[in-house]
Amino acid sequence: MGQPAILTVDDDPSVSRAIARDLRRRYGDKYRIIRASSAGDALDVLKELKLRGGRVAVMLADYRMPQMNGIDFLEQAMDLFPHARRALLTAYADTDAAIQAINVVDVDHYLLKPWDPPEEKLYPVLDALLDAWQATGDQEQPDIRVVGHRWSEPSFQIRDFLARNLVPYRYFGADEPEGRRLLEAAGAGPESVPLVVTADGRALSQPTVQEVAEAAGLSTNPGRDFYDLIIVGGGPAGLGAAVYGGSEGLKTLLIERQAVGGQAGQSSRIENYLGFPDGISGAQLTDRARRQADKFAAETLNTREVVGLRADGSARTLTFADGGEVSAHAILLATGVSYRPLLADGVADLTGSGVFYGSAATEGPACSGTDVYIVGGANSAGQAALFFAKYARRVTLLVRGDSLESSMSYYLIQQLARVENIEVRTRCEVIGALGEGHLQAITICDSKDGTKATVECGYLFVFIGAEPRTDWLGDAVARDGKGFIRTGSDLLANGDRPRGWDRDRDPFYLESSVPGIFAAGDVRANSIKRVASAVGEGAMAVALVHRYLEAQ
């Protein structure tokens, strides 16, 4: 029982023998290869392994099986071995099964039958799945427990932080029996919430996000004082740069003040990203990118806010909010953009208590049976509408413009039209929010006829504007009138290089007005606001950093 298992399930004896043969040939020295001829038999095997303390690294299940198909099997198998990686064996025509597998059981990969030659079509997939399993392990991790109030903004901030950083936790209301028991055990009253009880039993009353990060085992301090490359911002651009920087041997540090993944990490479904024809959630994409960065020894720093940047000779130094500093040969600014505040009466007072910025996926189940309103007309708003429609009685998308066509991808518009409990209202905006202790209603102004109406609203999610997070830069680098960082040829005025430029060359394409400081992704002036382009710019930035370092 010492070796972890790779389990295959297929009712076709010839296929079952073939995949077991190929797996033993490559992995038989390190893994126990187990094959079952039905989902029922496979579940019995898994239950026996569980009782005997065994471990399962990967489960491969055929989609078309009698009594129980591969999706239903994987869904039940997850209850026994939630950390095992999962792949579905499917025929090319079973695209519906693939889509369902993503939505229901979070399948990691698909293997099309036949997979000959295995060196090209089977082993690379299994290698990646096994690497991912080894990185996370198969040991049950004690969950962090959070006690809070449903309509408390500090309680929401902690739950949202843990969820976005993929830290397992259990939440209890302060008025629930288990919540009261935890408060009593900690010698705390309802006024002490949010209360966080760590895996080792420590009770933290009203902790800061950084204290929660440390309790969860997330890294909050740099491992060294000096790096080759420091990346500020953990969205797609920052993650792309971390993967390429680490893979190319640069001592790389990624700094993120909230949660790795940025706004893209909050997306319920990204369907136009290359290589994922059936879509992928922002959390899944973030998790895979973060694992890749870890694989290449790129260091990630959590909950640290950068407030200053300066050039120290050939070094570039960042200052943290607590006064600490860290330096590198080169800096990449990939801080993305934030949603613009909704300036309407009552909204500020109810933020975190029914009013949220971004998708706030942790609130999905709580929306059950309520009326949800979403403000915004871009892709992120459309994806959120589809997500919350699974829970809410009705979802209304409020769009200031005349239509969605100018701001939202065509495929999303078509999907919204097919969901019965989603309504799109154009030329509308929220001008007020009302509620005692939590959001209960909003006032909407319809500019088509000038009417105003106050309607019941349980939750309001805001997706408006795209403001860059660059105020902290001051005049350290050149920015445009909206705060976006100017780079490359945008810095040249009539062919003249920016003031203070000390190199006998023009700035590189993603280089700012200070040599060795680069920008990528949404924070860069005139960038394309898409996940794919942000990842591409992150990779491109690393190539330019190499050119910069070679000339030093």
Side-chain angles (χ1 to χ4, degrees):
M1 295 300 295
Q3 287 184 322
I6 298 176
L7 174 69
T8 73
V9 193
D10 199 306
D11 65 313
D12 186 327
S14 62
V15 174
S16 180
R17 286 193 298 269
I19 192 167
R21 178 198 65 223
D22 290 339
L23 292 175
R24 287 194 184 97
R25 184 186 306 159
R26 174 79 167 229
Y27 307 105
D29 60 332
K30 295 181 180 179
Y31 294 88
R32 182 183 177 196
I33 311 302
I34 302 174
R35 65 186 180 100
S37 59
S38 72
D41 289 346
L43 287 173
D44 289 341
V45 169
L46 291 176
K47 290 173 184 176
E48 180 69 18
L49 284 170
K50 191 73 172 180
L51 289 173
R52 297 174 64 182
R55 295 174 296 158
V56 177
V58 174
M59 297 182 286
L60 304 121
D62 181 42
Y63 170 63
R64 293 183 179 275
M65 294 188 293
Q67 284 81 50
M68 184 187 299
N69 66 34
I71 295 173
D72 294 336
F73 163 72
L74 289 174
E75 187 172 20
Q76 293 192 34
M78 283 174 64
D79 295 333
L80 295 167
F81 290 94
H83 300 290
R85 296 292 153 175
R86 301 168 292 281
L88 195 68
L89 302 174
T90 182
Y92 183 78
D94 289 330
T95 53
D96 288 344
I99 294 171
Q100 188 180 2
I102 286 179
N103 294 332
V104 176
V105 295
D106 193 16
V107 164
D108 294 293
H109 213 285
Y110 311 107
L111 283 168
L112 296 177
K113 299 187 291 185
W115 51 80
D116 290 330
E119 289 77 13
E120 295 180 12
K121 298 184 178 180
L122 176 64
Y123 297 150
V125 173
L126 263 293
D127 287 345
L129 294 176
L130 290 169
D131 285 346
W133 177 78
Q134 289 169 353
T136 58
D138 193 31
Q139 303 300 316
E140 292 292 335
Q141 299 296 322
D143 289 344
I144 287 175
R145 288 164 290 174
V146 179
V147 182
H149 293 301
R150 178 183 178 186
W151 300 115
S152 159
E153 182 178 7
S155 297
F156 164 73
Q157 294 294 346
I158 287 176
R159 289 188 293 118
D160 187 60
F161 171 78
L162 291 172
R164 291 180 60 190
N165 282 281
L166 305 178
V167 176
Y169 75 95
R170 285 180 288 166
Y171 175 76
F172 303 96
D175 55 351
E176 296 176 10
E178 184 62 19
R180 289 195 294 268
R181 283 192 286 268
L182 288 170
L183 287 171
E184 183 178 354
E191 72 282 354
S192 300
V193 299
L195 179 78
V196 174
V197 181
T198 65
D200 58 4
R202 289 180 296 125
L204 307 176
S205 178
Q206 299 180 344
T208 64
V209 169
Q210 186 166 356
E211 288 172 334
V212 173
E214 292 170 351
L218 299 176
S219 176
T220 58
N221 291 295
R224 60 179 72 231
D225 296 324
F226 198 89
Y227 294 83
D228 295 320
L229 171 64
I230 298 178
I231 304 157
V232 185
L239 285 168
V243 168
Y244 279 90
S247 69
E248 295 179 14
L250 297 178
K251 294 181 177 63
T252 302
L253 174 67
L254 173 68
I255 303 173
E256 171 53 51
R257 69 186 183 99
Q258 288 184 324
V260 173
Q263 287 187 10
Q266 293 180 279
S267 174
S268 58
R269 181 67 53 196
I270 301 171
E271 297 196 56
N272 57 356
Y273 188 68
L274 185 67
F276 295 92
D278 301 311
I280 185 171
S281 73
Q284 286 177 299
L285 188 62
T286 296
D287 181 45
R288 295 181 183 193
R290 180 164 53 183
R291 294 204 311 262
Q292 273 185 297
D294 290 343
K295 173 183 176 181
F296 294 121
E299 187 180 337
T300 300
L301 204 59
N302 299 273
T303 68
R304 296 300 296 271
E305 184 174 5
V306 178
V307 297
L309 169 62
R310 69 176 187 273
D312 289 331
S314 62
R316 304 292 178 256
T317 300
L318 295 166
T319 304
F320 294 118
D322 62 2
E325 294 186 341
V326 64
S327 300
H329 290 299
I331 301 289
L332 174 63
L333 302 172
T335 49
V337 294
S338 59
Y339 294 117
R340 193 169 63 241
L342 178 59
L343 303 178
D345 292 342
V347 167
D349 293 336
L350 294 170
T351 298
S353 301
V355 177
F356 302 94
Y357 288 88
S359 64
T362 54
E363 300 302 300
C367 293
S368 179
T370 66
D371 291 325
V372 169
Y373 284 79
I374 295 175
V375 181
N379 280 10
S380 53
Q383 289 159 349
L386 292 170
F387 172 76
F388 288 112
K390 301 174 186 176
Y391 304 97
R393 176 173 55 200
R394 187 160 193 81
V395 175
T396 303
L397 197 62
L398 301 175
V399 183
R400 178 181 291 185
D402 293 329
S403 70
L404 291 173
E405 277 71 14
S406 62
S407 57
M408 187 178 293
S409 295
Y410 176 76
Y411 79 90
L412 264 180
I413 297 174
Q414 297 300 106
Q415 289 186 13
L416 292 173
R418 289 194 293 265
V419 181
E420 292 184 358
N421 64 330
I422 293 179
E423 177 186 1
V424 178
R425 294 182 56 182
T426 58
R427 296 179 62 186
C428 289
E429 57 183 307
V430 175
I431 59 173
L434 305 92
E436 292 295 328
H438 64 89
L439 179 68
Q440 294 169 305
I442 59 173
T443 301
I444 302 170
C445 177
D446 190 327
S447 63
K448 292 189 291 291
D449 52 22
T451 59
K452 299 177 183 179
T454 298
V455 297
E456 259 187 44
C457 176
Y459 288 83
L460 178 69
F461 298 93
V462 182
F463 297 83
I464 57 174
E467 295 184 336
R469 300 169 179 167
T470 57
D471 288 347
W472 61 276
L473 286 169
D475 57 0
V477 297
R479 297 179 289 153
D480 67 12
K482 295 181 179 179
F484 292 94
I485 299 170
R486 296 170 59 204
T487 61
S489 60
D490 286 346
L491 292 165
L492 304 179
N494 299 319
D496 294 331
R497 294 164 183 160
R499 182 181 302 175
W501 187 261
D502 61 359
R503 305 297 161 105
D504 188 23
R505 61 169 176 81
D506 290 345
F508 294 136
Y509 178 62
L510 299 178
E511 197 169 22
S512 75
S513 58
V514 177
I517 298 177
F518 299 81
D522 290 0
V523 75
R524 191 177 67 83
N526 300 316
S527 65
I528 304 298
K529 306 299 190 281
R530 286 291 184 268
V531 174
S533 62
V535 173
E537 288 193 4
M540 185 190 303
V542 172
L544 297 176
V545 166
H546 277 297
R547 290 176 60 184
Y548 169 77
L549 295 177
E550 288 167 0
Q552 286 294 92

